[in-house]
Amino acid sequence: MRSMKFKLYQHKRNRFLKGMINASGVIYNHCIALHKRYYRMWGKHLSCAKLQSHVAKLRKRNRFWQTVGSQAVQDICQRIEKAYQLFFKYNNTGARPPGFKKVKKYKSFTLKQAGYKLLGGNRVKIGNKVYQFYQSREIEGKIKNLTIKRTALGELFMVVVVDEGSSSQVKFTTGKIAGFDFGLKAFLSCSDGTKIESPQFFKQSLNAIKKASKQHSRKLKGSTNRERARKNLVRKYEDISNRRRDWFWKLAHELTDKFDVLCFETLNLKGMQRLWGRKISDLALGEFLQILEWVAKKKNKRVVFIDQWYPSSKTCSNCGYILESLDLSIREWRCPKCQSVNARDENAARNIQMVGASSIGLGDVSRLRAAITA
């Protein structure tokens, strides 16, 4: 599966697509209300099949709802069902059930087999209207679904998911394995001694964000100037997000070209967020790992994660001695057993490499046993 994103041309007929997104938001909120009412009355979870059947009947009597395709309505019910399943799964960790959303902030609707048709060139037919999009690449493969997304600026994008099938790929192997340790000083510390610094895009643009936010807060609520200031602030954030994502993709390709197996430590991102706040958000470690896993899968490379409780920083990479405690301010320490001097991040990266290699049968199994018993 592969998803491709195309921006739609600005045109007055785009108001029909925005109206369909608004109608999807109304249907979504109505479905959430039905779930809550059903639980109050019967004490049970409303199944997706019952919800779809009921909403289909309501849609026949509501002309505004009919602007949204029947498959898009089914997809809304499936989204809610998936959200509730995640809530049931992670209820013990403080997760909340899906709630109501503001219609003007509702983002998208999805069409699967029907309701759209790709015409020749850069044109697509959705409903009874034809729209144009910036075709930056050819759409190859079997189309599985099409999603129309609305950004905070009011711009529309078309996301096409295609099944490329078993496309033949040439596998480039380097025979190298590496471990990586995330840090606040350096974005990545590699087991071969190299360090990758993060550009910290949000920190670079912090003054511009503060200025745009101050201008927005000073405008009268509901005025045209406030809306203009809001869009200016959104553009600042989108610019940061785009630059960071571009850097992540380039870095992921660089690492997968250099190594065949990449080992990382499992991260507790929520705990790190509570400790270091904006710094962790700026690094966006979770987003980078998602991109890296996708690129590695595409290139037939492997990403390995070791247990987050393995003491990678406190373990000597030369002899395996484990310190009882190691303060975060200590960046270098001497092993009491073998007297080797270990730089904190590089030592952790080497340990992550050895444990990751052991977990997939490429290294010393004793390292894996130590990781399990730690």
Side-chain angles (χ1 to χ4, degrees):
M1 294 292 182
R2 185 181 182 184
S3 61
M4 292 179 282
K5 188 176 181 180
F6 306 97
K7 185 177 180 180
L8 293 177
Y9 283 9
Q10 292 284 352
H11 197 275
K12 61 182 180 181
R13 73 169 65 96
N14 288 3
R15 69 181 186 273
F16 295 106
L17 290 179
K18 294 178 180 179
M20 293 170 70
I21 296 175
N22 291 337
S24 300
V26 173
I27 296 171
Y28 177 91
N29 288 334
H30 189 82
C31 293
I32 293 292
L34 287 175
H35 267 281
K36 294 180 181 294
R37 190 185 310 162
Y38 190 87
Y39 184 79
R40 283 197 306 267
M41 293 176 62
W42 308 104
K44 297 179 182 178
H45 169 66
L46 179 60
S47 68
C48 184
K50 286 184 178 179
L51 181 62
Q52 287 177 343
S53 176
H54 182 70
V55 172
K57 295 176 183 178
L58 294 177
R59 182 173 171 272
K60 293 179 181 178
R61 303 197 296 264
N62 194 319
R63 210 169 165 186
F64 181 54
W65 287 19
Q66 292 175 8
T67 59
V68 185
S70 59
Q71 290 192 348
V73 176
Q74 292 177 5
D75 181 75
I76 292 171
C77 299
Q78 292 169 2
R79 290 184 187 184
I80 296 174
E81 178 69 16
K82 185 177 180 180
Y84 268 107
Q85 293 301 329
L86 290 174
F87 164 67
F88 296 145
K89 183 177 180 181
Y90 299 105
N91 187 23
N92 296 330
T93 61
R96 295 184 178 182
F100 298 105
K101 296 183 179 181
K102 290 185 178 181
V103 173
K104 65 179 181 180
K105 291 186 178 181
Y106 197 78
K107 294 182 179 179
S108 65
F109 66 88
T110 299
L111 300 170
K112 295 185 178 178
Q113 289 87 8
Y116 67 93
K117 184 178 180 182
L118 287 174
L119 306 176
N122 61 339
R123 297 183 304 153
V124 59
K125 185 177 182 181
I126 301 174
N128 298 323
K129 302 286 189 301
V130 177
Y131 305 89
Q132 287 184 300
F133 59 92
Y134 295 92
Q135 191 171 5
S136 55
R137 69 192 83 173
E138 292 294 329
I139 301 175
E140 299 177 351
K142 184 179 179 181
I143 300 175
K144 305 299 289 185
N145 61 60
L146 182 144
T147 301
I148 299 297
K149 289 191 174 183
R150 175 174 59 184
T151 66
L153 287 174
E155 298 174 337
L156 294 176
F157 288 85
M158 181 182 73
V159 181
V160 182
V161 178
V162 297
D163 186 0
E164 294 182 329
S166 57
S167 56
S168 59
Q169 296 178 357
V170 180
K171 184 177 180 181
F172 296 96
T173 57
T174 61
K176 295 182 180 179
I177 181 173
F180 298 90
D181 180 55
F182 287 108
L184 298 178
K185 300 283 186 182
F187 181 72
L188 281 179
S189 296
C190 183
S191 55
D192 62 3
T194 60
K195 290 182 180 290
I196 301 172
E197 302 292 336
S198 172
Q200 299 186 29
F201 298 100
F202 185 83
K203 186 177 181 181
Q204 290 179 10
S205 306
L206 186 58
N207 290 334
I209 289 288
K210 287 181 178 179
K211 183 178 179 180
S213 180
K214 187 182 294 185
Q215 290 174 350
H216 173 253
S217 62
R218 287 178 175 177
K219 298 297 186 291
L220 183 65
K221 288 186 178 181
S223 65
T224 306
N225 286 336
R226 187 178 178 89
E227 177 63 16
R228 189 181 294 115
R230 183 193 70 83
K231 289 185 177 181
N232 181 47
L233 179 60
V234 170
R235 287 190 187 95
K236 302 291 184 186
Y237 278 107
E238 282 194 354
D239 178 65
I240 295 171
S241 178
N242 292 336
R243 285 190 291 142
R244 182 191 292 128
R245 192 179 300 111
D246 177 70
W247 185 70
F248 282 166
W249 280 101
K250 291 177 180 177
L251 178 60
H253 280 285
E254 180 183 341
L255 294 179
T256 50
D257 287 341
K258 191 175 180 181
F259 303 104
D260 286 345
V261 182
L262 301 97
C263 305
F264 293 88
E265 193 173 18
T266 304
L267 300 175
N268 180 12
L269 294 177
K270 289 187 177 180
M272 296 170 69
Q273 182 75 37
R274 285 194 295 269
L275 285 175
W276 295 291
R278 191 175 68 196
K279 178 80 171 180
I280 300 300
S281 299
D282 195 7
L283 294 175
L285 307 177
E287 182 182 1
F288 170 70
L289 288 177
Q290 285 183 346
I291 293 174
L292 180 66
E293 286 184 276
W294 191 93
V295 174
K297 186 177 181 181
K298 192 74 175 174
K299 294 182 177 181
N300 294 314
K301 301 302 177 73
R302 192 166 182 178
V303 179
V304 179
F305 292 94
I306 72 168
D307 187 73
Q308 64 177 342
W309 302 114
Y310 177 72
S312 57
S313 299
K314 296 189 293 183
T315 303
C316 177
S317 57
N318 291 319
C319 64
Y321 179 82
I322 302 176
L323 293 176
E324 292 184 3
S325 62
L326 183 66
D327 192 78
L328 191 62
S329 61
I330 300 176
R331 310 310 302 174
E332 200 173 80
W333 57 279
R334 182 181 293 275
C335 177
K337 185 177 180 181
C338 65
Q339 301 300 315
S340 62
V341 178
N342 299 312
R344 184 190 186 98
D345 295 336
E346 293 178 14
N347 177 68
R350 287 195 294 268
N351 285 322
I352 291 171
Q353 176 194 354
M354 287 186 281
V355 175
S358 301
S359 65
I360 58 176
L362 297 177
D364 185 6
V365 182
S366 62
R367 289 285 181 177
L368 181 60
R369 294 197 187 114
I372 294 175
T373 57

